[in-house]
Structure formats: structure tokens, C-alpha cells
Amino acid sequence: MTNNHKIWTATPNGAIFAASPVTEVKINPGVYQLKFDPNKGIFLEKISTKFAVPDKIYGMDSRFIERTIKTYQSSSKNVGVLLNGLKGSGKTVTAKLICNKLNLPVVCISENYPGLPEFIHQINFDCVILIDEYEKIFVRDDRGVLLSCMDGAQMADAKVLYLLTTNNLYLNENMLNRPSRIRYIRSYEDVPRATVIEILSDRLNDKNLFDASLRTIAQLRNITVDLLIEIIDEINLHEEEPSEFIGEFNCNRETYGETYRKYNIIDADDPTKIYFIDKKIRGYISPTTSVGVTYSDEYGYNFVNVISRYSDTALTVNLVNPEYVKYVTDNKIDECDAADNDFEGVENA
């Protein structure tokens, strides 16, 4: 698509502006970084012809990639796609693969520059706008800044694929449940067991450590491809089972006071007695947590201590805060109901 009223021009150093009185250029397929000059405003800088991606991609989301490409190519208007999940879970690689397969100009936005919506409205060529870690760039009230751009009301001469990645699914409410703006939301979670086995088979040097490595990895709270590869590299380097080093390895750690996890709260002395289901506990409780540590709930009240057993879904505890005594008594479920619940990883005391 072209628009004779808008001209893209380049300076001798390669900066590409809209309607700047220098050499006219055509925006060819490639990867362009959005940048800002205090005197001239926002401009584009070509950084590569394509994104570099690994030779082998584990768990490649081929079905979703092809769906996104077909939808965009068949559409007469802008398309929005949100890829959400943990760091290292594959969402950015998926975005890069989509860009490479479309073979269009890709505009990478890494900062919310002044005049950004106005600049985007000047785009008169089909392209991908890629915003990696959207929630870090457009925070708080700025989260609605691209809504008019995504609608495409002022960009009749261009069709844009908006590719957003987020670590936390928190967007302007006018983006969610609006497929005219965000058509697809794809969530990336833990690496499936089959992919874990594939990566271990490919990269683990000592196959005698395979079973022990798989057992330890399966106990991690979050498993991403990046984390898995780093753990395997550590195993290969030191020639030992991951259980020997996982306690000090920098993984599955969260900041106390900023994170809440839901657990089933079970009495340490009587595991048939369940106080709460999906109770929020403040802070990350690891498998190696020392007995006697006190944790609090989402309101900051000291709640439980003496963590005597751990799984991904359940804690066996002693209640410590007297303020909770009546609350717990009023809210604990009947022991007969408790017997019907299957809590994975919870053993009998």
C-alpha cells in the first residue's frame, strides 16, 4: 500500500524520518528500531534484515504461527496478537518467527516516546509493530496510548500486525475482550514433559544422569526452555545431579512481599484436617524452606509457621496467629469433604 502524501526519507547516517527534506527511501522488509532525537523527533533505524533465531527451536508453536500469518494476510484491517508468559517461555521466539515468515518491515518499540501515536499514524506501509514486554513500556495510565493506532482509523493506507509480549497479563481494559484490537491471546506456561525429555536427550552429556535430572526438574515451580538449558549446562560442567546444586542455583526465586501463591493449608499433625483451599501466602516458599519460618497472608498478618511438608499445591503447617483461630474454625472444610480431595504431592504424615 502506498500514499503519495507521505514520504519517508533518510539522512546520510541511515536515520529514517517521515517527510524530512533529504533523500527519499523505500521501507523494505527488515527489522527497524524506533528511536528518538530531541530535535527531530521519532525516527527509524534499520538494524538487521531478519531476526536471528536458534537453529533448533524446542516446542515451536507452529500451529499458532501459521494461524496468525493466515489471519493477518486474509484481513483487510489491523490485527493484534498478545503473547503472555514467563521469561524464557518462548513467546519472543514465536514473535520473531512470525516476523521472519511474514517478510515485512518490523518496527520494534522499546520506549514510549513523546508523540508515539502520531508517528504510528504516519505509517503508510504494511508492517509488524513488535512491542516486547509491553507492560514495562506502557505502564499505568499510558497503557491505552496505542488504542487509536490499533483501531487503524487514521491508517487507512497501511495494515499493521501488532505483536505484543507480556510477562504479566495486565493491559488496558479496553484491549481485553476486544478481538478487533487484540484478536489472539496466547499464554505460554511450563515446558511440556515431552519437550523436557527432548531437550535433556539432546543436550545432556552423561545419560546416566538423565532420570535424576528429570526428577529434579519436574519439582521446579516454573520450567522454561531457557532455564532448562542453563540447568543442563550446569550439570554438564560439574558432572553432577541437579539435586546437588539446585538449592543455590538462581531459579524459581521470587521477591518476598511482592508475590503471593495459593496453597491448600493442611494441619501438620493431622493431614486430614484442611484449613483452607487456595489460601494466598505472601512470599515464595521453596522446597528447602527451614522449619520454623513464619509466613503471612495477603494482608500482612502472620499466619503460619513450621512448614513440615511441601508440594506445588499444598503446605502442612502450624497456625500461629491467635487472630486467625476463630477465622480458621469458621472457614475450615468438613473432614469428610477433605477425604474426597486429591492434592497432588501431599503425603500422609
Side-chain angles (χ1 to χ4, degrees):
M1 297 181 182
T2 59
N3 184 330
N4 295 327
H5 299 293
K6 297 176 182 176
I7 300 173
W8 292 88
T9 58
T11 62
N13 63 0
I16 301 172
F17 293 88
S20 180
V22 282
T23 307
E24 182 175 353
V25 296
K26 179 182 178 182
I27 310 298
N28 292 312
V31 181
Y32 297 81
Q33 182 65 51
L34 202 71
K35 295 191 174 182
F36 181 79
D37 181 285
N39 297 318
K40 296 185 177 181
I42 298 174
F43 64 94
L44 297 173
E45 182 178 286
K46 189 172 183 178
I47 56 177
S48 65
T49 56
K50 284 184 176 293
F51 283 114
V53 295
D55 293 333
K56 181 171 183 178
I57 300 172
Y58 294 102
M60 186 168 66
D61 203 351
S62 300
R63 183 197 65 82
F64 181 76
I65 291 171
E66 295 305 322
R67 173 178 289 273
T68 298
I69 291 172
K70 182 177 180 180
T71 297
Y72 172 77
Q73 291 177 336
S74 303
S75 177
S76 60
K77 58 184 181 181
N78 294 344
V79 175
V81 175
L82 172 61
L83 309 176
N84 175 70
L86 300 169
K87 292 182 179 180
S89 58
K91 57 187 185 297
T92 301
V93 172
T94 299
K96 290 179 177 179
L97 288 170
I98 291 172
C99 293
N100 286 351
K101 285 179 175 289
L102 278 172
N103 194 34
L104 291 170
V106 180
V107 178
C108 301
I109 299 177
S110 56
E111 290 191 42
N112 182 12
Y113 293 118
L116 178 60
E118 291 77 11
F119 180 87
I120 293 176
H121 287 319
Q122 296 180 84
I123 292 177
N124 60 340
F125 51 88
D126 289 357
C127 67
V128 179
I129 291 182
L130 174 61
I131 308 176
D132 200 14
E133 297 191 332
Y134 178 91
E135 78 276 22
K136 293 184 179 180
I137 301 171
F138 299 95
V139 296
R140 299 186 177 89
D141 293 339
D142 291 337
R143 291 182 186 274
V145 71
L146 293 184
L147 290 180
S148 62
C149 301
M150 298 179 80
D151 286 338
Q154 301 181 47
M155 296 173 61
D157 297 304
K159 184 175 68 174
V160 178
L161 173 64
Y162 285 88
L163 272 180
L164 317 179
T165 77
T166 57
N167 298 321
N168 301 299
L169 186 57
Y170 180 67
L171 295 176
N172 183 284
E173 62 180 7
N174 292 311
M175 285 189 178
L176 295 178
N177 300 313
R178 294 287 297 274
S180 61
R181 289 171 175 167
I182 301 292
R183 187 174 185 88
Y184 302 126
I185 295 179
R186 179 73 169 87
S187 295
Y188 291 78
E189 299 176 347
D190 283 351
V191 176
R193 178 183 174 85
T195 304
V196 172
I197 291 174
E198 180 185 6
I199 298 174
L200 277 169
S201 300
D202 283 354
R203 306 180 76 98
L204 188 64
N205 292 339
D206 186 352
K207 304 306 181 187
N208 292 322
L209 298 176
F210 187 96
D211 289 343
S213 300
L214 184 60
R215 282 195 300 271
T216 299
I217 290 167
Q219 295 174 27
L220 297 176
R221 179 176 297 280
N222 300 313
I223 307 172
T224 66
V225 171
D226 287 357
L227 173 58
L228 186 54
I229 290 174
E230 292 295 332
I231 290 175
I232 295 172
D233 288 346
E234 187 79 5
I235 296 170
N236 292 338
L237 175 63
H238 295 281
E239 299 179 341
E240 63 182 7
E241 298 180 7
S243 59
E244 298 293 327
F245 62 80
I246 203 70
E248 59 260 17
F249 204 68
N250 185 21
C251 65
N252 286 253
R253 300 180 187 273
E254 301 179 48
T255 304
Y256 181 85
E258 295 182 357
T259 302
Y260 302 95
R261 292 284 182 181
K262 290 183 178 180
Y263 298 96
N264 301 313
I265 306 300
I266 301 170
D267 190 274
D269 298 320
D270 182 1
T272 66
K273 187 180 295 182
I274 304 174
Y275 293 117
F276 295 97
I277 292 178
D278 287 343
K279 176 64 179 175
K280 286 184 178 180
I281 300 295
R282 185 179 183 181
Y284 173 56
I285 303 174
S286 75
T288 57
T289 296
S290 301
V291 170
V293 177
T294 299
Y295 290 87
S296 57
D297 68 1
E298 66 266 42
Y299 305 109
Y301 292 111
N302 288 340
F303 176 40
V304 295
N305 78 357
V306 190
I307 310 299
S308 59
R309 201 174 298 274
Y310 172 87
S311 78
D312 279 347
T313 58
L315 304 174
T316 54
V317 306
N318 285 338
L319 299 169
V320 296
N321 193 330
E323 296 180 29
Y324 260 90
V325 173
K326 186 176 185 303
Y327 184 66
V328 169
T329 301
D330 291 343
N331 287 276
K332 67 181 179 181
I333 66 174
D334 186 83
E335 291 183 12
C336 293
D337 294 332
D340 294 331
N341 286 283
D342 179 17
F343 298 119
E344 180 181 356
V346 179
E347 305 170 9
N348 291 328

